[in-house]
Amino acid sequence: MKPTLLVKGKFLLAEGPLWSADRNSLFWVDIEGKTLNEFYWKSGELKKSSLPQRVGFLTEAGDEQLILGMQGGLALFNLASQELTWLQDVEKEQENQRCNDGKCDAQGRLWFGTMDIEARRGKGNFYVFDRQQGLQRKLEGLSIPNGLSWSLNKKKLYHIDSVSRSIKSYIFDPSRGSVTFEKVAIQVPEKFGMPDGM
């Protein structure tokens, strides 16, 4: 496998790539640059949308809309009108906190982490959000909550806290959306650096 350059551009902290099959495009965010980026595969065009706060992740919400995890909470972004609609405050009263990585589970619940802008230890949390249950904090005392993924049978959730260099395994109940710590699945040796995305 050989990596090739897709887009040559100046990004401060480019993260969270998401392929949209419906749009045949690739999305990603520039956290510190406060932009949402969309690369159109066929034309090679890059569209940048400026945002008012740092943005940590994005996920599709249907009808040409995205959910963005931002500094202060969650917002709905309309791709056609470029309109931003606030959905949910998340640690908004803490100026140095922002959303980081996030993904939806098979039931459509949104799981995401928050962290201190300067990555201070123990300041991060891990949440789940849906329309019925609202916002629930599931884990706390994290540092850089990062990449998350589910096992093929959806009975385990894997989650990274980058500073601890560990990928932890949690027993996951799809019906209730609960997580229970099981074990450290992978401990990354210090010489290899910190795990990030998954």
Side-chain angles (χ1 to χ4, degrees):
M1 184 181 299
K2 183 181 178 182
T4 57
L5 181 64
L6 181 66
V7 177
K8 187 175 182 179
K10 294 181 179 179
F11 302 101
L12 299 177
L13 186 54
E15 291 227 5
L18 177 72
W19 174 256
S20 173
D22 290 341
R23 297 171 66 87
N24 199 31
S25 65
L26 180 70
F27 288 102
W28 70 91
V29 300
D30 183 355
I31 297 174
E32 293 298 328
K34 300 178 184 177
T35 63
L36 167 69
N37 305 276
E38 183 177 13
F39 178 80
Y40 297 95
W41 198 258
K42 286 185 178 179
S43 68
E45 177 192 355
L46 174 64
K47 182 177 182 180
K48 285 189 175 186
S49 301
S50 296
L51 300 167
Q53 289 100 9
R54 291 176 177 89
V55 53
F57 72 86
L58 63 98
T59 187
E60 289 186 294
D63 298 324
E64 289 201 349
Q65 297 191 104
L66 302 174
I67 294 177
L68 305 180
M70 306 185 71
Q71 186 169 350
L74 305 174
L76 198 64
F77 185 78
N78 187 298
L79 290 161
S81 67
Q82 300 282 292
E83 183 181 359
L84 195 68
T85 305
W86 205 251
L87 286 177
Q88 173 71 47
D89 289 350
V90 182
E91 301 178 8
K92 197 171 185 177
E93 71 286 353
Q94 302 177 54
E95 291 183 6
N96 280 349
Q97 292 289 102
R98 67 165 175 83
C99 289
N100 202 35
D101 213 347
K103 285 182 184 173
C104 287
D105 65 19
Q107 287 71 34
R109 293 174 295 230
L110 178 59
W111 296 78
F112 64 95
T114 60
M115 63 175 283
D116 178 78
I117 291 170
E118 297 174 359
R120 289 184 295 167
R121 286 180 179 267
K123 297 293 183 180
N125 299 296
F126 189 55
Y127 293 91
V128 63
F129 174 77
D130 69 30
R131 295 281 194 174
Q132 287 72 41
Q133 301 295 322
L135 183 71
Q136 300 175 60
R137 184 161 58 187
K138 294 295 185 175
L139 303 172
E140 56 188 20
L142 306 172
S143 297
I144 305 180
N146 241 320
L148 60 151
S149 185
W150 285 265
S151 61
L152 291 176
N153 65 8
K154 311 303 180 190
K155 292 184 178 180
K156 291 187 181 181
L157 168 68
Y158 299 100
H159 183 251
I160 294 171
D161 188 4
S162 293
V163 172
S164 70
R165 303 193 317 279
S166 63
I167 301 169
K168 296 181 174 71
S169 172
Y170 295 86
I171 303 300
F172 180 71
D173 184 334
S175 61
R176 296 190 300 125
S178 62
V179 289
T180 306
F181 175 74
E182 181 191 26
K183 63 183 179 180
V184 173
I186 302 172
Q187 186 66 49
V188 178
E190 188 172 358
K191 65 181 180 180
F192 293 127
M194 294 191 297
D196 193 336
M198 185 116 63

